[in-house]
Amino acid sequence: MRENGNFPALRRRRKEHFKEQMKNLRLVVDWTVWVYLLVPGLLYLIGWYTSLWTKPLPAWATGLPLPVLTGLIDVVMLTGGVLIFVEEADVLFLKSRPLWMRTLMRQGLYRSCLQHLGKMILITALTAPLWSRVYEMSNLQIALMAVWLGAVASFQAITLHIAKVRHTGWRRWIQMIPLVIGIGYMTIHATSWMHGQTWKISFGIVIIMLLLITVGQMRLLMKGTFEGDVREDLRSSLQL
């Protein structure tokens, strides 16, 4: 793997990770059964989603408070994590090539942030009828909200990842539980404060991006976490 430019080893690890995930899926999923379930399910979902735009909204939708929707989305954010593709054999490079390790970690953080952004764009698109028809937000505000939620999801994932690689056992949970509660509280109240104001959403994006860059730099500068990095990468790889 080179220290700059393209990273053949990183691409190889990503490809191996993808193949491993597909292998795990094949172990627990009968694709024939899934075809019979997914096709009708997708058709039903498309029809239901279209009805949210074209027909009167159900009572549960019109009466759904914004903090409740934001809280549910924050729960979805917790399903993601950080995978930096560190392996046990990389210990050989810790002292001789520290830049190699930081570059590997940086690329893993970029990948994780893009994944969280993509997930939040999908979630925002699925809930767009609520943002538009219930909370009366414009298309621009909905698009900015997707970026805001994606940045928050990335910030939360990296922050929790720092706690995970530093601690194990009960210390891990003592660190993580306050972080989850604090970030969730911030997300719910900030989103409610931004409601309907484009400049507020833009301001929130700037602030969360600065926080995201800060925790990203903190993660890159951390030392003595190699065993934790390997442990958490293995845990993330087996999560599915």
Side-chain angles (χ1 to χ4, degrees), residues 146-166:
V147 177
W148 155 255
L149 294 173
V152 171
S154 301
F155 170 76
Q156 181 172 254
I158 295 176
T159 302
L160 295 179
H161 182 71
I162 291 175
K164 291 176 182 178
V165 299
R166 279 180 170 173

Side-chain angles (χ1 to χ4, degrees), residues 5 8 37 103 107 136 138 152 158-159 175 194 210 233:
L37 292 176
T103 304
Q107 294 298 316
E136 299 180 344
S138 66
V152 171
I158 295 176
T159 302
Q175 288 284 328
M194 296 176 194
L210 291 175
D233 265 28

Side-chain angles (χ1 to χ4, degrees), residues 38-132:
L38 284 176
V39 172
L42 285 174
L43 292 175
Y44 175 80
L45 179 63
I46 292 171
W48 176 76
Y49 184 76
T50 303
S51 70
L52 291 179
W53 285 106
T54 58
K55 297 180 180 180
L57 290 171
W60 66 264
T62 56
L64 185 67
L66 180 57
V68 173
L69 176 62
T70 309
L72 293 173
I73 292 176
D74 189 64
V75 172
V76 176
M77 292 180 188
L78 292 172
T79 60
V82 174
L83 185 65
I84 57 178
F85 297 103
V86 173
E87 298 178 354
E88 289 182 332
D90 295 335
V91 69
L92 300 174
F93 295 93
L94 275 176
K95 294 183 179 180
S96 61
R97 302 175 68 180
L99 179 60
W100 186 93
M101 291 297 299
R102 286 198 299 271
T103 304
L104 180 67
M105 293 174 62
R106 184 180 294 109
Q107 294 298 316
L109 292 176
Y110 288 158
R111 173 185 177 275
S112 297
C113 289
L114 289 175
Q115 283 188 332
H116 287 291
L117 176 61
K119 181 173 65 177
M120 287 301 105
I121 289 175
L122 176 61
I123 295 298
T124 307
L126 291 175
T127 56
L130 301 179
W131 296 108
S132 177

